[in-house]
Amino acid sequence: MGEEVKLFRGWSSPYALRIVWALKLKGVQYETIYEEVSNKSRALIEYNPIHKKVPVLVHNGKPIAESLVILEYVDEIWKQPPLLPQDPHRRAMDRFWAKFGDEKVLPSIWEAFKKQGKEQEEALSIAMENLKFLEEELKGKKLFGGEEIGLVDIALGWLANLVSVFEEIIGLQLMPEEKFPHLFAWMQVFADIPVIKESWPPRDKMVAKFQALREVHLSKEAQND
Amino acid sequence: MAREVTLLDFWPSMFGIRVRVALAEKGIRYEHREENLRNKSPLLLQMNPVHKKIPVLIHNGKPISESLNIVQYIDEVWHDDAPLFLPSDPYQRAQARFWADFVDQKVFSTGRRVWTTKGEEQEAAKKEFLDTMRLFEAELGHKPYFGGESFGYVDVALVAFYSWFYTYETFGNFSIEAECPMLIAWAKRCMEKESVFKSLPDEKKIFEFVMQLRKRFGIE
């Protein structure tokens, strides 16, 4: 049966990586179309008219947008290996943690990254409070999914790459090992999975990009003072 | 098997309303506990330590939080009880999740800006709110419900805001019906269902509640 799977993505986006990992883990053949934020293709705007954002998965001509929605779709179409458990309560918990990552963890780490001085200290302390919840959740587990990679590992997997990139740029520890031993161990296990390891965007490009972004934010702040 | 279902709730909350509607649709009996958000119960803090927010559904001692998560959970556990909120086709299911997520991304925050701001900021909020409602109207099209022939996931997600429309309209000085008549027709159609009618608070009571909130926040 002919299956056409296309992934519209940005080269550095953590949201796009989620879909890459899910498709690769499930052995799905797909075509990648890279999009530039400043020059979106007609196709992207047609496929995601509401948000005009990547990632968008197009399966046999039908588009799906929003990375967590796409992940559940991918899991339902290509069932092995499963990303979500069968039990409804565990599924609800997985969805909870995935959302927590996007609504709290990521924004708080981003805040800590783009600020400096006292504001950065405050942002950092909020980020660490959020990380503490994840640390608790990992106790007694190798991965968030248990023995096997699951939805939450995929949703939070950006931590295993972006945190070290950010730390290199700001010269501060966002996730010190002594405070977050389980998260630290999880990052090593996760990053060692072959599909994950081979999919990271080039590190030097990442450092350059986020360094530049930080500078833009800092200069905007300076202008506002 | 003893089935224990408790809902920790707060009467004006759209997010709580969603769960009330879902439980009523499935005919599930439950204990309703009203929380005082300025004095949260130890149970709430224990059951939702991360966010400390309502709604929380407690089923056989285990908590589920985040309203859309709860609605999906109810659909999955009580899957033999009609109707199913989410469609059975995976692509339709993805579309339903997308639109429900869109409700979450836009409606609460823009609606809130309508009743908490003035002048230019309020005009901008009104425009954004109405633009969003038009998108929903377009998505609804000629279907009786977002779910098609039957009331579904996106209907639950959005109809919970209907009680708040009067408040938005009064403080914003606009008529949602004038701008989006099909959407209001949809909301009224939903209100003909007992599960919706019994779960949504009176719109005037919401308005009084918001008047109190504005006093407390020092908004004129």
Side-chain angles (χ1 to χ4, degrees):
Chain A
M1 180 179 75
E3 287 249 66
E4 195 194 58
V5 184
K6 293 189 191 185
L7 176 64
F8 287 76
R9 62 168 290 196
W11 70 269
S12 63
S13 157
Y15 304 106
L17 274 180
R18 295 169 173 174
I19 317 304
V20 169
W21 295 331
L23 291 171
K24 284 189 177 182
L25 282 166
K26 292 172 183 275
V28 180
Q29 299 295 323
Y30 67 100
E31 183 196 338
T32 298
I33 296 114
Y34 285 101
E35 288 279 336
E36 297 287 319
V37 173
S38 51
N39 187 18
K40 295 174 184 177
S41 72
R42 237 210 176 96
L44 175 63
I45 297 175
E46 249 180 65
Y47 285 135
N48 190 1
I50 300 286
H51 299 298
K52 304 177 180 59
K53 282 183 180 176
V54 280
V56 176
L57 188 79
V58 183
H59 183 208
N60 294 333
K62 296 193 288 190
I64 305 106
E66 294 298 295
S67 63
L68 295 180
V69 175
I70 300 172
L71 280 178
E72 292 218 34
Y73 176 80
V74 168
D75 205 33
E76 288 172 17
I77 299 285
W78 297 281
K79 298 187 195 300
Q80 296 302 328
L83 297 178
L84 274 169
Q86 292 290 335
D87 172 69
H89 189 260
R90 289 185 54 208
R91 291 162 71 85
M93 289 314 297
D94 277 11
R95 289 174 179 138
F96 175 88
W97 289 113
K99 267 277 149 166
F100 177 70
D102 280 359
E103 285 176 2
K104 298 283 184 189
V105 181
L106 201 152
S108 62
I109 290 197
W110 179 244
E111 282 296 299
F113 170 71
K114 69 178 188 178
K115 303 245 179 225
Q116 60 187 356
K118 186 137 204 304
E119 280 187 344
Q120 186 178 53
E121 267 175 50
E122 285 165 6
L124 199 51
S125 122
I126 294 174
M128 291 213 190
E129 267 172 48
N130 289 328
L131 290 171
K132 261 193 225 146
F133 285 118
L134 296 182
E135 176 72 15
E136 264 305 303
E137 184 55 24
L138 265 176
K139 288 201 171 137
K141 296 203 282 205
K142 184 170 100 170
L143 292 158
F144 285 99
E147 282 304 303
E148 302 296 331
I149 191 174
L151 182 86
V152 182
D153 300 286
I154 297 214
L156 294 172
W158 59 270
L159 284 165
N161 177 246
L162 264 185
V163 166
S164 76
V165 168
F166 287 178
E167 285 179 343
E168 184 180 318
I169 295 168
I170 64 177
L172 275 178
Q173 282 195 302
L174 290 167
M175 200 192 293
E177 186 177 357
E178 10 14 296
K179 276 202 171 140
F180 303 103
H182 294 93
L183 268 172
F184 213 80
W186 166 77
M187 288 202 301
Q188 311 302 318
V189 171
F190 181 79
D192 262 345
I193 297 169
V195 154
I196 310 299
K197 205 190 277 200
E198 77 192 24
S199 307
W200 295 127
R203 193 186 167 84
D204 50 351
K205 274 182 83 176
M206 291 285 275
V207 171
K209 171 188 167 133
F210 285 103
Q211 175 93 48
L213 271 175
R214 180 161 197 262
E215 268 150 38
V216 167
H217 280 284
L218 290 177
S219 68
K220 265 197 207 144
E221 292 285 321
Q223 277 170 31
N224 289 338
D225 280 336
Chain B
M1 178 181 73
R3 270 191 178 184
E4 267 186 23
V5 184
T6 302
L7 175 63
L8 305 182
D9 198 1
F10 180 54
W11 71 270
S13 160
M14 309 81 162
F15 307 105
I17 291 169
R18 287 170 171 174
V19 182
R20 279 174 244 160
V21 171
L23 289 166
E25 276 284 291
K26 299 273 193 186
I28 298 164
R29 305 188 71 157
Y30 65 100
E31 182 198 353
H32 184 268
R33 287 211 201 182
E34 188 67 15
E35 283 283 332
N36 176 358
L37 296 185
R38 290 198 277 168
N39 187 16
K40 293 174 181 178
S41 72
L43 183 64
L44 173 57
L45 299 176
Q46 185 202 345
M47 291 290 159
N48 191 358
V50 176
H51 299 299
K52 307 176 178 58
K53 284 183 175 177
I54 61 93
V56 179
L57 191 79
I58 308 171
H59 183 211
N60 293 335
K62 294 195 279 196
I64 304 100
S65 46
E66 299 295 291
S67 63
L68 291 182
N69 268 6
I70 300 172
V71 174
Q72 285 193 79
Y73 175 83
I74 290 170
D75 213 27
E76 288 174 15
V77 173
W78 285 272
H79 56 86
D80 289 333
D81 296 302
L84 277 180
F85 301 131
L86 280 166
S88 47
D89 171 70
Y91 184 72
Q92 296 303 325
R93 225 186 349 262
Q95 295 311 303
R97 287 189 176 124
F98 174 87
W99 282 99
D101 174 72
F102 187 61
V103 178
D104 269 2
Q105 282 191 34
K106 294 292 267 190
V107 187
F108 181 82
S109 56
T110 51
R112 192 168 207 277
R113 274 160 45 217
V114 168
W115 64 264
T116 54
T117 63
K118 287 201 292 233
E120 265 180 50
E121 245 194 287
Q122 191 186 46
E123 285 307 306
K126 275 162 65 175
K127 180 179 188 303
E128 209 182 319
F129 183 84
L130 285 171
D131 284 346
T132 304
M133 291 301 124
R134 284 187 201 105
L135 286 171
F136 283 117
E137 217 182 35
E139 175 56 22
L140 179 68
H142 295 291
K143 306 194 294 287
Y145 301 104
F146 286 94
E149 288 305 309
S150 57
F151 184 80
Y153 189 60
V154 182
D155 302 281
V156 176
L158 187 58
V159 82
F161 285 85
Y162 184 56
S163 297
W164 282 74
F165 280 8
Y166 175 75
T167 297
Y168 300 148
E169 288 173 318
T170 309
F171 286 113
N173 191 27
F174 65 113
S175 159
I176 299 172
E177 185 158 21
E179 305 287 335
C180 300
M182 302 282 278
L183 195 69
I184 298 300
W186 160 81
K188 291 181 174 165
R189 190 176 303 128
C190 292
M191 285 292 274
E192 286 169 14
K193 294 169 70 63
E194 193 179 344
S195 61
V196 177
F197 176 73
K198 289 209 163 155
S199 305
L200 265 62
D202 183 287
E203 62 186 16
K204 301 271 176 15
K205 292 213 166 90
I206 298 278
F207 181 73
E208 274 164 35
F209 167 73
V210 173
M211 293 263 275
Q212 296 299 319
L213 273 186
R214 279 166 57 102
K215 270 201 199 112
R216 208 176 346 128
F217 295 160
I219 306 168
E220 286 271 300

